[in-house]
């Protein structure tokens, strides 16, 4: 049974029915409802979202510096987003997280240390991501911007320890939860090769497998705005259309269609 639902992508705070979606998810029996936002329009909506039943707030913040933040996002919103995170903490959500895609820029080390100190003082959990490539990217630009969380290995070896490991065999991924000496918790992902026997069966035959940085079903069953399910970020040909079933409110039909889809792409017994 599905126990968690995550609302994200295409900035959920712009959706006028967001609170109703959260209330409805709770009524359906989901134990945890979380949301990922860029944080720009979040602050004024936080009290209503908590009242609706939102459990976890995750905000994306890819630099801890106003100028660098502006250069990455094109928006002068660093202070605004930072204050949204701090307000979420004060309101007492079950979890408050900040996602950061590691990017290479001048003084990235100092920026990261300031970010860590702020998060530790405010009780924020950090999730560090690698920059994921896409076919539309320029290879030189990707190379110049890429920096892996593994470059922090000596720092983590000195100041942190792994307190939890979660395995996602279908995706070939392990999520490590580190705790630093100052109490800060940091999540990182490590990926095994995509051709091992445990991964989804479509991965074993996929030409993108040697280059894949995500993996099949890496972050669950993703339902897009077009009401289609996608288990893979790189292959749109694997998407499953659920428009008719959802439009007719055929919950049993949705479950059966997803079950057959996962058996075909991931494997039996999923």
């Amino acid at each position: 049974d599905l126990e968690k639902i995550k609302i994200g992508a295409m900035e959920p705070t712009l959706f006028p029915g967001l609170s109703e979606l959260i209330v409805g998810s709770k009524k359906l029996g989901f134990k945890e409802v979380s949301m990922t936002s860029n944080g720009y329009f979040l602050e004024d909506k936080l009290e209503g979202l908590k009242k609706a039943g939102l459990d976890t707030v995750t905000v994306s913040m890819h630099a801890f510096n106003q100028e660098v933040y502006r250069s990455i996002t094109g928006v002068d919103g660093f202070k605004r987003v930072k204050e949204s995170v701090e307000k979420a903490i004060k309101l007492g959500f079950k979890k408050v997280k900040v996602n950061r895609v590691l990017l290479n820029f001048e003084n990235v080390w100092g920026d990261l240390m300031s970010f860590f100190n702020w998060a530790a003082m405010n009780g924020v959990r950090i999730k560090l991501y690698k920059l994921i490539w896409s076919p539309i990217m320029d290879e030189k630009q990707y190379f110049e911007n890429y920096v892996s969380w593994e470059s922090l290995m000596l720092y983590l070896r000195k100041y942190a320890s792994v307190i939890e490991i979660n395995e996602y065999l279908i995706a070939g991924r392990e999520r490590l939860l580190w705790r630093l000496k100052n109490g800060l918790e940091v999540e990182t992902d490590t990926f095994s090769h995509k051709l091992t026997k445990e991964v989804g069966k479509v991965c074993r035959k996929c030409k993108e497998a040697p280059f894949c940085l995500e993996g099949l079903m890496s972050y669950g069953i993703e339902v897009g705005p077009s009401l289609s399910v996608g288990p893979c970020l790189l292959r749109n040909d694997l998407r499953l259309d659920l428009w008719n079933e959802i439009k007719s409110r055929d919950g049993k039909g949705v479950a059966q269609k997803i079950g057959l889809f996962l058996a075909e792409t991931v494997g039996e017994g999923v």
Side-chain angles (χ1 to χ4, degrees):
D1 293 337
L2 299 177
E3 296 183 349
K4 300 179 181 180
I5 185 168
K6 181 180 290 186
I7 304 167
M10 299 186 72
E11 189 42 48
T13 58
L14 296 176
F15 176 52
L18 179 57
S19 292
E20 290 80 2
L21 177 61
I22 295 168
V23 171
S25 299
K26 284 293 188 178
K27 287 182 178 179
L28 287 172
F30 287 101
K31 295 180 180 178
E32 181 181 332
V33 179
S34 62
M35 183 188 75
T36 300
S37 166
N38 63 28
Y40 192 76
F41 298 108
L42 182 60
E43 186 173 5
D44 293 339
K45 300 179 183 291
L46 282 168
E47 293 181 10
L49 295 175
K50 190 172 192 304
K51 186 177 180 180
L54 186 65
D55 299 298
T56 300
V57 177
T58 302
V59 174
S60 299
M61 187 189 299
H62 307 309
F64 200 70
N65 172 286
Q66 185 170 331
E67 287 72 28
V68 178
Y69 183 94
R70 186 192 303 115
S71 70
I72 293 171
T73 64
V75 176
D76 190 13
F78 171 71
K79 184 174 182 291
R80 186 167 168 170
V81 172
K82 178 171 169 285
E83 289 175 351
S84 293
V85 176
E86 292 168 349
K87 181 175 179 178
I89 296 163
K90 292 177 182 177
L91 287 174
F93 284 88
K94 291 180 181 178
K95 295 178 185 176
V96 179
K97 300 181 180 182
V98 173
N99 288 344
R100 175 162 175 167
V101 176
L102 283 174
L103 298 169
N104 190 26
F105 53 81
E106 187 177 354
N107 194 33
V108 62
W109 176 265
D111 184 274
L112 201 56
M113 292 302 105
S114 296
F115 177 51
F116 281 4
N117 289 336
W118 168 80
M121 288 189 296
N122 286 281
V124 175
R125 179 183 288 190
I126 291 172
K127 173 70 175 72
L128 296 179
Y129 287 90
K130 297 179 181 180
L131 179 62
I132 303 298
W133 66 270
S134 76
I136 63 171
M137 281 185 177
D138 175 77
E139 57 266 28
K140 181 174 182 289
Q141 184 182 37
Y142 181 72
F143 176 80
E144 291 175 345
N145 284 280
Y146 181 87
V147 58
S148 171
W149 72 263
E150 281 96 338
S151 60
L152 286 166
M153 198 59 74
L154 290 178
Y155 174 83
L156 293 171
R157 181 174 181 268
K158 187 174 182 179
Y159 296 108
S161 57
V162 175
I163 61 171
E164 186 178 307
I165 300 175
N166 291 306
E167 293 185 311
Y168 302 82
L169 295 178
I170 293 172
R173 173 169 64 93
E174 291 181 338
R175 173 160 293 175
L176 308 180
L177 177 59
W178 306 79
R179 180 173 291 152
L180 276 65
K181 292 179 180 179
N182 61 7
L184 175 64
E185 293 184 344
V186 179
E187 297 177 10
T188 61
D189 286 345
T190 180
F191 289 87
S192 59
H193 199 273
K194 295 298 178 297
L195 302 179
T196 58
K197 63 181 180 180
E198 290 88 359
V199 301
K201 61 183 181 182
V202 297
C203 297
R204 288 172 241 154
K205 300 178 181 179
C206 180
K207 65 179 183 179
E208 300 284 12
F211 315 105
C212 180
L213 293 179
E214 284 288 304
L216 193 73
M217 295 283 295
S218 186
Y219 296 101
I221 302 172
E222 298 184 355
V223 181
S226 62
L227 299 183
S228 63
V229 171
C232 176
L233 295 178
L234 297 179
R235 292 185 52 185
N236 288 326
D237 62 303
L238 294 178
R239 300 198 72 83
L240 174 70
D241 185 7
L242 294 174
W243 174 262
N244 290 332
E245 287 77 10
I246 294 177
K247 186 178 180 181
S248 61
R249 299 185 181 275
D250 180 8
K252 187 176 181 180
V254 169
Q256 289 177 342
K257 200 168 183 179
I258 290 177
L260 289 172
F261 174 70
L262 293 179
E264 292 173 359
T265 55
V266 178
E268 299 294 338
V270 178

